């Protein structure tokens, strides 16, 4: 499930990131959030070009949500990918995932709507889920607002991958909009402390204290952790959810949970492509200097383009 050694480019990238440890308190978290977006805004100035970006707000259940629409250079209308960023449900933003969304737009030929959802601990479960579901419903109901052709997918990485999976589940269970595809990038689902990936790789990007703190901020209780809308591996029936691509990373403590969910989808009869990048760490698809990150984005973009192609 993992290579003998991590990819050297990825190893160098996470060594650089490791100089900023995650705070496990509200004061440090607020400070990190304030610093992150301006820094990322500067890094994003020369990002991959797309046809156009539009910053706007969309209606959410507790107020407007910030969103950024990425449009391809080709003329529309386009399929729509509603994207949710990672960050343990407490960090992350449109800016932290701008590079990934730009590449996804270029490679897939689809419009990407990147959505900022409410973050914990200020807004614990189910706030992020409610926002994600509302964003998907809005995009599906308002194709003209997103230059859409009516075909809709959900996508996300890490915590955002969880939200994408839950949005796909909610759409089926609550008779919501048709979701044509779901792309789950190293999703934070089905994680157990005794999994080999947790035992062997905690401390690479994410350590056990980081994961537990994220859980405490977001779930607040074990009852919430067992809710299928918090973790879709708890669902009794996944048979009607959208076809999926599930990506995991060999050196990721979340690897085994993502693999378990892919296997669960297959058992339920959901067409699923699973790929494990054996020499990669958690979060690798946002690492700008890693060649394999671009390869992986291209592969999932191809899946999305094929799935969302007009019949």
């Amino acid at each position: 499930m993992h290579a003998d050694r991590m990819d050297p480019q990825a190893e160098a990238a996470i060594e650089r990131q490791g100089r900023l440890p995650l705070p496990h308190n509200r004061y440090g978290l607020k400070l990190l959030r304030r610093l992150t977006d301006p820094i990322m805004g500067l890094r994003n100035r020369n990002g991959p070009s797309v046809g156009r970006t539009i910053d706007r707000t969309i209606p959410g259940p507790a107020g407007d949500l910030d969103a950024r629409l990425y449009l391809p250079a080709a003329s529309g209308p386009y399929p729509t990918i509603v994207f949710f960023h990672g960050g343990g449900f407490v960090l992350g933003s449109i800016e932290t995932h701008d590079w990934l969304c730009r590449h996804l737009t270029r490679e897939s030929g689809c419009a990407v709507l990147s959505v900022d959802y409410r973050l914990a601990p200020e807004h614990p479960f189910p706030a992020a889920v409610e926002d994600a579901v509302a964003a998907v419903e809005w995009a599906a109901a308002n194709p003209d607002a997103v230059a859409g052709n009516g075909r809709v997918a959900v996508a996300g990485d890490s915590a955002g991958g969880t939200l994408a999976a839950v949005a796909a589940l909610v759409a089926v269970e609550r008779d919501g909009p048709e979701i044509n595809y779901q792309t789950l990038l190293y999703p934070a689902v089905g994680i157990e402390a005794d999994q080999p990936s947790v035992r062997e790789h905690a401390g690479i990007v994410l350590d056990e204290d980081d994961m537990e703190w994220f859980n405490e901020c977001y779930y607040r209780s074990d009852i919430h952790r067992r809710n299928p809308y918090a973790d879709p591996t708890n669902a009794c029936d996944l048979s009607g959810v959208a076809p999926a691509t599930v990506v995991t990373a060999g050196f990721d403590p979340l690897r085994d949970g993502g693999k378990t969910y892919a296997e669960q989808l297959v058992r339920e009869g959901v067409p699923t492509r699973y790929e494990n990048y054996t020499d990669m760490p958690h979060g690798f698809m946002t690492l700008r200097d890693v060649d394999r990150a671009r390869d992986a984005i291209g592969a999932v973009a191809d899946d999305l383009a094929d799935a969302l192609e007009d019949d």
Side-chain angles (χ1 to χ4, degrees):
M1 291 294 289
H2 65 87
D4 292 336
R5 181 189 171 187
M6 191 184 301
D7 174 89
Q9 290 180 329
E11 189 172 30
I14 63 172
E15 283 178 0
R16 290 192 295 270
Q17 288 185 348
R19 297 169 188 167
L20 290 174
L22 290 175
H24 293 171
N25 60 76
R26 292 197 178 205
Y27 175 79
L29 177 62
K30 289 180 179 179
L31 180 61
L32 182 58
R33 287 176 183 165
R34 288 174 184 170
L35 292 173
T36 299
D37 273 3
I39 292 172
M40 295 307 301
L42 289 173
R43 291 193 69 193
N44 293 337
R45 286 183 302 174
N46 298 315
S49 62
V50 296
R52 186 183 178 195
T53 62
I54 302 170
D55 287 331
R56 59 163 302 155
T57 59
I58 63 175
D64 288 345
L65 303 172
D66 289 331
R68 178 173 296 162
L69 179 65
Y70 300 83
L71 298 176
S75 59
Y78 320 94
T80 304
I81 302 168
V82 185
F83 181 89
F84 305 107
H85 64 77
F89 302 104
V90 304
L91 291 165
S93 67
I94 291 169
E95 294 298 341
T96 61
H97 286 65
D98 179 79
W99 183 86
L100 171 55
C101 288
R102 286 176 176 272
H103 270 293
L104 191 58
T105 302
R106 287 166 57 94
E107 298 292 332
S108 70
C110 301
V112 174
L113 181 70
S114 180
V115 180
D116 266 345
Y117 50 89
R118 286 173 290 168
L119 298 175
E122 299 89 342
H123 305 285
F125 174 82
V129 171
E130 293 171 346
D131 291 351
V133 170
V136 174
E137 292 177 344
W138 178 86
N142 296 275
D144 290 346
V146 291
N149 65 3
R151 307 278 286 175
V152 176
V154 291
D157 75 320
S158 195
T162 307
L163 294 177
V166 171
L169 176 62
V170 171
V172 171
E173 293 191 341
R174 297 186 181 177
D175 196 24
E178 180 180 3
I179 296 177
N180 301 105
Y181 207 76
Q182 54 177 322
T183 298
L184 315 179
L185 312 177
Y186 30 85
V189 297
I191 304 163
E192 302 290 345
D194 61 350
Q195 290 170 334
S197 62
V198 175
R199 294 197 310 267
E200 295 168 7
H201 303 306
I204 302 174
V205 180
L206 296 170
D207 62 33
E208 290 176 325
D209 289 341
D210 294 334
M211 291 186 284
E212 186 56 35
W213 188 67
F214 289 154
N215 288 340
E216 290 174 359
C217 290
Y218 181 59
Y219 296 115
R220 293 288 179 91
S221 77
D222 287 337
I223 293 174
H224 287 159
R225 290 192 195 200
R226 294 193 292 270
N227 190 314
Y229 293 167
D231 184 338
T233 61
N234 296 320
C236 295
D237 183 6
L238 295 168
S239 59
V241 302
T245 291
V246 181
V247 172
T248 59
F251 287 88
D252 183 356
L254 308 191
R255 181 197 67 208
D256 292 349
K259 180 175 183 288
T260 295
Y261 190 58
E263 293 170 342
Q264 189 174 350
L265 290 170
V266 170
R267 286 196 305 272
E268 298 281 352
V270 178
T272 302
R273 185 179 77 83
Y274 170 69
E275 184 162 2
N276 178 49
Y277 287 79
T278 60
D279 58 350
M280 289 291 116
H282 183 73
F284 76 95
M285 291 175 73
T286 60
L287 299 178
R288 304 177 185 216
D289 299 323
V290 176
D291 294 337
R292 290 277 279 161
R294 292 181 174 85
D295 294 341
I297 295 169
V300 299
D302 287 345
D303 290 346
L304 283 159
D306 291 343
L308 298 175
E309 187 177 11
D310 286 330
D311 297 330

